[in-house]
Amino acid sequence: MRGVSVIGVGCTPFGKQTGVGITDLALQACREALHDAQVPTSLVQSFYLGNFASEALVHQGSLAPIVAYRLGLGPIPCTRVEGACASSGIAFRHGVLLIASGLCDIVLAAGVEKMTSAETGAVTEALASAGDAESEMRLGLTFPGTFGIIMRRHMHQYGTTREQVGMVSVKNRQNGSANPKAHFQKPVALEEVMGSRLICDPLRLYDCTPISDGAAAAVLCAADLASEFTQRPIDVIGSGHAIGPATLFEMADLTTFEASVAAAQQAYREAGIAPRDIDVAEVHDCFTIAEITAIEDLGFVEKGKGGPAVADGLTALDGKLPINPSGGLLSKGHPVGATGLAQIYEIVGQLRGEAINQVKGAQIGLAHNLGGTGAVSTVHILKRR
Amino acid sequence: MRGVSVIGVGCTPFGKQTGVGITDLALQACREALHDAQVPTSLVQSFYLGNFASEALVHQGSLAPIVAYRLGLGPIPCTRVEGACASSGIAFRHGVLLIASGLCDIVLAAGVEKMTSAETGAVTEALASAGDAESEMRLGLTFPGTFGIIMRRHMHQYGTTREQVGMVSVKNRQNGSANPKAHFQKPVALEEVMGSRLICDPLRLYDCTPISDGAAAAVLCAADLASEFTQRPIDVIGSGHAIGPATLFEMADLTTFEASVAAAQQAYREAGIAPRDIDVAEVHDCFTIAEITAIEDLGFVEKGKGGPAVADGLTALDGKLPINPSGGLLSKGHPVGATGLAQIYEIVGQLRGEAINQVKGAQIGLAHNLGGTGAVSTVHILKRR
């Protein structure tokens, strides 16, 4: 297989972006990534766009060709991919596949979601469509519900405390307070998390990600050609993509997402490394409890030890394994289709040594993207040269 | 590049499928294709599902993992791809790419759409989202509008007559009358087409495809392994995928879809053949006029000669180049995300020599799928061994 590198990244601010349409959001991130890579549009051979629900949210389908044509990409293959909240992790992976297999030299991958212009009810309905509409979602079990049940089970099974879970929010909001692109840039204290409005017991307001607009993009290039464009290519050394059950009733263990475990194993195997080799990670903290299950599923800590790990500072910025130095989804917001590539944007920044909350000496980083209640996951491992 | 073959196909009946959800529709086609290929689910290494607007139409996103998990595919990569009406042409192409590049041996590709359970207004709105929501569609220019303008321009520019265009409907409804899976199985006379209800001048009711439910699927396999599963593999000898402008105002010529031209050139080049080598083709007749522009864009006839070609019987079942022997979208219906793979289903049947309207001695067939008003297109060329 041919080596693959990231040679450029772009990301819009996340949050409520009034007066900017979904096409313009995507264009902004793509242009930033192409500029960062110093790659002219004429060299891009394929384009992947991750998006979750633009037909339902902004009445726009066919988004890949529309964005690509406006970008001036020419008559190349352009594809929108969707895997709920993992949509742009999947877009990034397709760039990796096409270059690794020798089909392309340069691929542009982007992700976008425009959520705040839709009515709240429409957003709730669209988000619920990431679950199984024919079973659980029909019964009213939306995502705060599924993750509330998962949190309750984790507390029961492993003695995880409400405080430990709340500290994920405290840590990520602290990290996000330095991130000018984050939706929320204000830290919160543990008492504020514990006292915030109840959303779905035991989840409270500050355990949840907000509804945001945003886009992110990356330019991928064959590793052997990367030095023609940049002096600091970041190599993709592992890529995993797997599915799991989309419903709670099909999960063998409510505290583990099989898709994350399988995608991580695939990525570690390809990279030839172990979880302990990771210096920094962006994981899918759509709810506080999701960060705890993620660091367990990714093998950073033993199953059930995620709560104490957070409380003990293992995952803090100055801890042994900093998790979500960007502030994570809890701070940045979660424009669904953009999230996976925003994680790549952060990890690339970390490995270039120019991130906002720079992890000192970071050599290897990991990005973990999750769709639905574990229906699909992607894991990517990146390394500086 | 490694050769790629189709070793199994499946297709549900198209039409109004009451009481069958979108997941079950997709499962039905997938199971038929796997059974046809004699491939157990454990051998499938990747799954692509083409779907246009399931979030908007049936409140179901994340469809690829949901269908794959129900099918029992295991923790493999599963991806929903969307390119408006070309969604499952794109799904099929990704199967081709993954095998041709050596990444996989066996890939399942499917396409599905469930449209008739949504309110008519919701369907119209969803379909309009395949155009550019921020420009033309906002002004009320839905697809009968765009194709009506294209038809008017074709008539003006080349002297194409209303009767010639209407004969596409007569031919395809005649072909479809033998197809038990078609939504419409009743032939129509030219007078009926010409006298049918005006939809958007000059398009009349019988110039348009109906709203339908349906799913189709294909099992793709490395050509060198195909004989382990079947004695009649159909080889994919050319694959093209390209974008073009998504709006009328960006088109250089209203009678040509650049995406179709580019995708066809790519597929012919890869196959090392010319348009005259094609024995049978399924082309994207979402409206009667679209079949005429398609046979021109694909190089079967000179630009502007599509009307006379139909009227002279060139494209009839017993003509020199039979087009849409299945009945096309005009007879089968157009469950958007399923259409591309239903075309593959028909061409595979033709090349196996077991199609309903069998074209005698067909050796090479072509499938042409189009998204939006030419925003994206795929072209595949298949050959019997």
Side-chain angles (χ1 to χ4, degrees):
Chain A
M1 301 291 277
R2 198 178 189 193
V4 181
S5 306
V6 181
I7 59 170
V9 287
C11 188
T12 68
F14 280 12
K16 190 172 167 64
Q17 309 248 10
T18 316
V20 184
I22 191 165
T23 307
D24 287 332
L25 267 179
L27 286 172
Q28 216 176 302
C30 289
R31 287 186 181 127
E32 188 185 332
L34 288 167
H35 178 79
D36 183 39
Q38 292 291 302
V39 163
T41 51
S42 59
L43 293 185
V44 176
Q45 294 164 305
S46 192
F47 173 56
Y48 283 90
L49 180 62
N51 172 264
F52 168 45
S54 62
E55 290 96 345
L57 291 171
V58 292
H59 308 301
Q60 183 63 76
S62 199
L63 206 49
I66 289 175
V67 171
Y69 195 83
R70 292 264 189 280
L71 201 55
L73 288 187
I76 61 167
C78 297
T79 305
R80 177 253 187 127
V81 291
E82 183 265 328
C85 316
S87 294
S88 64
I90 295 173
F92 184 76
R93 176 172 161 92
H94 276 80
V96 174
L97 290 182
L98 261 60
I99 294 171
S101 65
L103 290 171
C104 290
D105 293 329
I106 296 181
V107 176
L108 176 63
V112 67
E113 208 80 49
K114 174 79 182 169
M115 307 179 78
T116 66
S117 54
E119 309 258 321
T120 310
V123 175
T124 302
E125 196 166 288
L127 288 172
S129 80
D132 188 334
E134 290 172 8
S135 60
E136 290 180 347
M137 295 295 150
R138 177 178 288 173
L139 306 173
L141 187 59
T142 57
F143 286 98
T146 57
F147 281 89
I149 291 171
I150 287 168
M151 179 167 162
R152 184 64 77 196
R153 182 69 202 174
H154 205 280
M155 293 167 76
H156 170 77
Q157 201 159 322
Y158 302 113
T160 307
T161 67
R162 175 58 267 217
E163 287 74 12
Q164 288 167 346
V165 180
M167 288 181 75
V168 172
S169 185
V170 176
K171 167 180 75 68
N172 289 357
R173 290 292 290 263
Q174 179 60 41
N175 292 348
S177 67
N179 185 349
K181 294 192 173 184
H183 194 158
F184 296 141
Q185 299 173 27
K186 192 173 153 289
V188 295
L190 184 57
E191 306 74 57
E192 289 177 278
V193 178
M194 306 287 289
S196 64
R197 185 153 58 87
L198 197 63
I199 299 298
C200 184
D201 192 36
L203 291 169
R204 291 176 177 272
L205 185 64
Y206 291 153
D207 290 302
C208 309
T209 46
I211 303 296
S212 315
D213 308 322
V219 180
L220 293 119
C221 178
D224 53 294
L225 303 176
S227 61
E228 292 180 23
F229 300 98
T230 179
Q231 297 187 322
R232 45 178 197 175
I234 302 298
D235 296 327
V236 183
I237 61 170
S239 173
H241 176 193
I243 64 158
T247 57
L248 294 184
F249 76 84
E250 288 164 307
M251 289 172 72
D253 175 352
L254 284 180
T255 65
T256 294
F257 294 128
E258 293 169 26
S260 296
V261 174
Q265 283 173 350
Q266 199 180 334
Y268 288 133
R269 198 168 48 238
E270 199 172 293
I273 64 166
R276 65 173 174 279
D277 299 316
I278 302 294
D279 299 314
V280 57
E282 290 280 311
V283 311
H284 198 92
D285 60 327
C286 49
F287 296 93
T288 44
I289 184 64
E291 178 169 311
I292 289 177
T293 58
I295 61 175
E296 296 170 355
D297 289 342
L298 295 167
F300 297 145
V301 299
E302 210 180 307
K303 184 49 73 182
K305 305 288 188 201
V310 175
D312 296 348
L314 177 88
T315 58
L317 209 49
D318 58 357
K320 206 175 140 209
L321 177 58
I323 298 287
N324 287 327
S326 71
L329 285 55
L330 288 165
S331 290
K332 284 188 299 184
H334 183 24
V336 177
T339 286
L341 269 157
Q343 295 174 321
I344 297 290
Y345 174 87
E346 173 68 17
I347 293 297
V348 167
Q350 289 286 349
L351 300 180
R352 282 176 175 176
E354 59 183 29
I356 302 287
N357 289 318
Q358 181 62 44
V359 174
K360 284 201 185 67
Q363 300 283 325
I364 301 181
L366 179 148
H368 162 254
N369 201 191
L370 183 75
T373 316
V376 58
S377 177
T378 62
V379 173
H380 286 97
I381 302 174
L382 280 65
K383 188 180 180 189
R384 69 179 296 168
R385 282 198 188 167
Chain B
M1 302 290 277
R2 200 177 189 194
V4 181
S5 306
V6 181
I7 59 170
V9 287
C11 188
T12 68
F14 280 13
K16 190 172 168 65
Q17 309 248 11
T18 315
V20 185
I22 190 165
T23 307
D24 287 331
L25 266 179
L27 286 172
Q28 216 175 303
C30 289
R31 288 186 180 127
E32 188 186 333
L34 289 167
H35 178 79
D36 184 40
Q38 291 292 302
V39 164
T41 51
S42 59
L43 294 185
V44 176
Q45 293 165 305
S46 191
F47 174 56
Y48 283 91
L49 180 63
N51 171 264
F52 168 45
S54 61
E55 291 95 344
L57 290 171
V58 291
H59 308 302
Q60 183 63 75
S62 200
L63 206 50
I66 289 174
V67 171
Y69 195 82
R70 293 265 189 279
L71 201 54
L73 288 187
I76 61 167
C78 298
T79 305
R80 177 254 188 130
V81 291
E82 184 266 327
C85 317
S87 294
S88 63
I90 295 173
F92 183 77
R93 177 175 160 89
H94 276 80
V96 174
L97 290 181
L98 261 60
I99 294 171
S101 64
L103 290 170
C104 291
D105 293 330
I106 296 180
V107 177
L108 176 63
V112 68
E113 207 79 50
K114 175 78 182 170
M115 307 180 78
T116 66
S117 54
E119 309 258 320
T120 310
V123 175
T124 302
E125 197 167 287
L127 288 172
S129 80
D132 188 332
E134 292 173 6
S135 59
E136 291 180 344
M137 294 295 149
R138 177 177 289 174
L139 307 174
L141 188 60
T142 56
F143 285 98
T146 57
F147 280 89
I149 290 170
I150 287 167
M151 179 165 162
R152 184 64 79 196
R153 181 69 201 174
H154 205 281
M155 293 167 76
H156 170 77
Q157 202 159 321
Y158 302 113
T160 308
T161 66
R162 174 61 268 214
E163 287 74 14
Q164 288 167 346
V165 179
M167 288 181 76
V168 172
S169 185
V170 176
K171 167 180 73 70
N172 289 357
R173 291 293 289 265
Q174 180 59 43
N175 291 349
S177 68
N179 185 348
K181 294 192 172 182
H183 194 158
F184 296 141
Q185 298 173 27
K186 191 173 151 289
V188 294
L190 184 58
E191 306 73 59
E192 289 177 278
V193 178
M194 306 286 290
S196 64
R197 186 154 57 87
L198 197 62
I199 299 298
C200 185
D201 192 36
L203 290 169
R204 293 177 176 271
L205 185 64
Y206 290 153
D207 291 301
C208 309
T209 46
I211 304 297
S212 315
D213 308 323
V219 180
L220 293 118
C221 178
D224 53 295
L225 303 175
S227 60
E228 292 180 22
F229 301 97
T230 178
Q231 297 188 323
R232 46 180 196 174
I234 302 298
D235 296 328
V236 183
I237 61 170
S239 172
H241 176 194
I243 64 157
T247 57
L248 293 184
F249 76 84
E250 289 166 305
M251 289 172 72
D253 175 351
L254 285 180
T255 65
T256 295
F257 294 128
E258 293 168 26
S260 295
V261 174
Q265 283 173 350
Q266 199 181 333
Y268 288 133
R269 198 166 49 237
E270 199 172 295
I273 64 166
R276 65 173 173 279
D277 299 317
I278 303 295
D279 299 315
V280 57
E282 290 280 311
V283 310
H284 198 91
D285 59 327
C286 49
F287 296 93
T288 43
I289 184 64
E291 179 169 310
I292 288 177
T293 58
I295 60 174
E296 295 170 354
D297 289 342
L298 295 167
F300 296 145
V301 299
E302 209 179 307
K303 184 49 76 183
K305 304 288 188 201
V310 176
D312 297 348
L314 177 88
T315 58
L317 208 49
D318 58 356
K320 207 174 139 207
L321 176 58
I323 299 287
N324 288 327
S326 70
L329 286 55
L330 287 165
S331 291
K332 284 188 298 185
H334 182 25
V336 177
T339 286
L341 269 157
Q343 295 174 322
I344 297 290
Y345 174 87
E346 173 66 18
I347 293 297
V348 167
Q350 288 287 348
L351 300 179
R352 284 175 173 176
E354 60 183 29
I356 302 288
N357 289 317
Q358 181 62 46
V359 173
K360 284 200 185 67
Q363 300 284 325
I364 302 181
L366 179 148
H368 161 255
N369 202 192
L370 182 75
T373 316
V376 58
S377 177
T378 61
V379 172
H380 286 96
I381 302 174
L382 281 67
K383 189 180 179 187
R384 70 179 295 169
R385 284 200 187 164

